[in-house]
Amino acid sequence: LWLGWLQPLLKQRSHWQAELPRLQAQAAALAPLLRAREQQQQAQGRRPTLAGLRQQITAAGLAGSLHIETRDGRWHLQVRSVPADALWNWLLPLLADPAIELQQLQLQRTGDANMPAARISGNIVMAAQGGGHP
């Protein structure tokens, strides 16, 4: 009885007592990665909206310098003397979203060329992928 039934059960119990903490540590290490991946998939499933774009503009502190309107299902942004670093910090991650298509970008440096911080003015036209109105 000992060799055939109880000893294998005790060996299995000892094995899982040693293995369980390692598996729990791996699960704890992978949990944040899984949550980040789920959030990324949810974000990709969401279609960009004009309201969301306005929130991003406001959060970036550009609400006073960027004017946005919707025409023909596209977003038309008019940029007026925005600090270059602030514009790029907002625009580049936005354009990395595969759901947003950049259709036109006309920007130029404005102000004094000797200014240490460049300012940018111009127009940006974007559209949400998938058709319809953004």
Side-chain angles (χ1 to χ4, degrees):
L1 185 64
W2 169 260
L3 289 175
W5 184 70
L6 195 53
Q7 187 179 22
L9 287 177
L10 289 174
K11 281 185 180 180
Q12 190 175 24
R13 180 175 180 255
S14 296
H15 168 76
W16 286 114
Q17 281 180 331
E19 193 70 15
L20 189 58
R22 185 183 67 80
L23 293 173
Q24 288 172 333
Q26 285 179 345
L30 293 174
L33 297 173
L34 181 60
R35 280 193 298 275
R37 177 67 179 144
E38 287 172 352
Q39 289 173 350
Q40 182 183 29
Q41 287 175 338
Q42 288 173 355
Q44 288 177 350
R46 279 187 244 129
R47 190 160 177 258
T49 63
L50 181 61
L53 190 58
R54 286 180 195 231
Q55 283 180 335
Q56 290 178 355
I57 290 169
T58 301
L62 302 173
S65 303
L66 279 175
H67 173 71
I68 183 169
E69 61 183 52
T70 302
R71 285 183 273 161
D72 303 321
R74 299 184 298 177
W75 298 317
H76 294 260
L77 289 87
Q78 185 178 26
V79 180
R80 284 180 249 129
S81 194
V82 175
D85 59 342
L87 179 66
W88 296 126
N89 288 340
W90 168 76
L91 185 60
L92 293 177
L94 180 70
L95 295 178
D97 184 345
I100 295 179
E101 176 186 355
L102 177 65
Q103 296 185 340
Q104 179 182 352
L105 180 68
Q106 294 178 324
L107 299 174
Q108 63 185 12
R109 183 179 178 145
T110 57
D112 184 2
N114 294 324
M115 289 175 44
R119 300 191 80 71
I120 305 291
S121 295
N123 296 302
I124 303 169
V125 179
M126 295 182 280
Q129 294 284 342
H133 293 282

